[in-house]
Every structure is written in structure tokens, then in C-alpha cells.
Amino acid sequence: MLNQKIQFDDEPSKLEKLVSITQGIQVVRYQGNDMNYRLVSPRHLDGFYLKADLDAVALSKVDLKKYQLHTNDIVMTIKYKIGKASLVTEDIEGSLADQNLAILHCIDTSKVLPRYLVAIINSEWFFQYQLSPIMGLSTVTSISLSQLRNLKVPVPDQHTQKKIADLFFTLEEIKTSSLKALEIRQKLAESSLFELFGENV
């Protein structure tokens, strides 16, 4: 456990010094029937790893490489539910992110680990000290890429980054497993109720 205060050699770094940031594709701009692509939207960010059940979208046959996701990229919601982030895995590679997401690509993984950034962005600390000052008490439903680039992240040594990432990812796995167990119990309870009243499930 991380039970001592972490010391940093430098001041927290702006995100723009750690990652390249682009916005996802504006789907309506490229609508067509030339090629089918898998599309990532905010609803797929339901954990630290992206869900694989992506939507299919037909688009014109143009160069969309800048919108395509690569393994260990990070996608982050910048509209509506601001601040959720997920890591791109191999089975998601080549998909497109939609315009409600920002794509974060680590410039130098020897300086910052993608898993660490996902953990930090999803943390209460990041929400309270980085996102909340932007959102304030208003009903802000989006942040701009320029605002995102100026947000700051502490960058400890890689050993500490790994410990933090492992802790957060382990907690996320436990939470997911617990929710699945609750869903199973709920289904069993519902099944028992149908049987009690003589109905077929």
C-alpha cells in the first residue's frame, strides 16, 4: 500500500508535455458507405480498459489515421461525463474514437506509464484538483483540448508509477468482480421469484 507521502523531483507536468492530444472524429462529417469502422464512444469507457463491444459505423474512404487508436493509447471523455479514461488494448487497436473523446498518446513511456495516467485521470484527486476548478459550480458539459493540455499530473519515478497503477487497477478488478457477483445473485433471486409464483423464466 502507498502509506507514505510521495516525493517528486520536479513540479507536476502539464499533460501536453507527457502526451499528444487529439480529439476524436466528427462522424457526421465523414458519413458514407465506403468502409466500416469500429467506433469508440463514451459508453464504452466503463472501466480502466475499453470494452470490446464497439459500434460499427460506415464512413467515406478517406485518410482517418489520426483518429485511429493504438495499443496503450488513452481515451478520455471530454463531453458530458467528463474525465473518465480507459486504456486501449490490442483488440481495440485500429478503431476510431468519436468526437466526445480525446485521444492521449504517451510521448515517452520511459517518463510516464500509460497505466499510471489512466489511474491518475480516474482518481478522485485528479477530479478534485484538476477538473473541478474548470467545471466550477456551473453545468459545464465539456472541456476543450486546450484546457485538457494545461491540466497537471505529478510524475514520480517509474517504480512508484507502477505501484500506483497496480493498486488502482487491482481495485478496479475487484470492483468489477463484485458487481458481476451481485448481478448473478440478482438473477438467481429473480429466477427464484418466478419459480415461487409458478411462472417460466
Side-chain angles (χ1 to χ4, degrees):
M1 295 293 290
L2 300 167
N3 54 7
Q4 60 183 23
K5 189 172 182 180
I6 299 169
Q7 299 297 321
F8 304 105
D9 295 329
D10 303 300
E11 289 294 314
S13 297
K14 287 185 177 181
L15 270 179
E16 65 181 354
K17 294 186 178 297
L18 303 172
V19 296
S20 61
I21 302 175
T22 54
Q23 188 167 353
I25 187 171
Q26 189 175 358
V27 175
V28 293
R29 183 179 176 186
Y30 297 100
Q31 282 183 330
N33 294 307
D34 296 329
M35 292 189 70
N36 287 324
Y37 292 89
R38 293 185 302 163
L39 186 69
V40 178
S41 62
R43 75 180 185 86
H44 297 113
L45 278 69
D46 192 27
F48 284 11
Y49 291 108
L50 273 176
K51 282 186 173 180
D53 58 333
L54 303 183
D55 303 316
V57 60
L59 302 174
S60 300
K61 191 174 181 179
V62 294
D63 187 4
L64 300 176
K65 288 181 180 177
K66 71 175 182 177
Y67 302 113
Q68 287 186 308
L69 301 173
H70 302 279
T71 302
N72 287 328
D73 279 350
I74 300 160
V75 287
M76 176 182 173
T77 53
I78 55 174
K79 293 185 178 180
Y80 311 118
K81 292 184 179 180
I82 300 168
K84 293 178 68 176
S86 294
L87 195 65
V88 176
T89 54
E90 287 184 7
D91 57 336
I92 304 293
E93 184 160 0
S95 303
L96 305 177
D98 78 10
Q99 68 269 23
N100 299 311
L101 301 171
I103 305 166
L104 284 61
H105 178 78
C106 288
I107 297 169
D108 182 0
T109 54
S110 68
K111 183 174 182 180
V112 63
L113 300 173
R115 291 176 80 250
Y116 169 75
L117 276 183
V118 169
I120 290 297
I121 293 171
N122 281 301
S123 70
E124 181 62 27
W125 175 87
F126 190 80
F127 181 82
Q128 184 174 340
Y129 290 101
Q130 297 299 312
L131 291 175
S132 287
I134 296 174
M135 298 165 66
L137 297 175
S138 64
T139 55
V140 174
T141 58
S142 67
I143 58 173
S144 66
L145 293 193
S146 59
Q147 288 174 314
L148 183 56
R149 291 187 179 105
N150 284 313
L151 299 181
K152 294 182 178 180
V153 172
V155 185
D157 62 86
Q158 286 228 344
H159 176 69
T160 303
Q161 288 183 42
K162 187 177 184 305
K163 285 175 66 177
I164 292 171
D166 287 348
L167 174 62
F168 273 80
F169 273 75
T170 298
L171 290 172
E172 178 69 12
E173 289 173 8
I174 293 170
K175 183 179 77 173
T176 301
S177 297
S178 298
L179 288 174
K180 286 181 179 177
L182 286 173
E183 287 177 5
I184 292 171
R185 289 180 181 180
Q186 175 72 22
K187 288 179 180 178
L188 289 171
E190 293 287 350
S191 177
S192 298
L193 190 62
F194 274 89
E195 290 178 6
L196 180 65
F197 289 108
E199 301 288 344
N200 293 322
V201 180

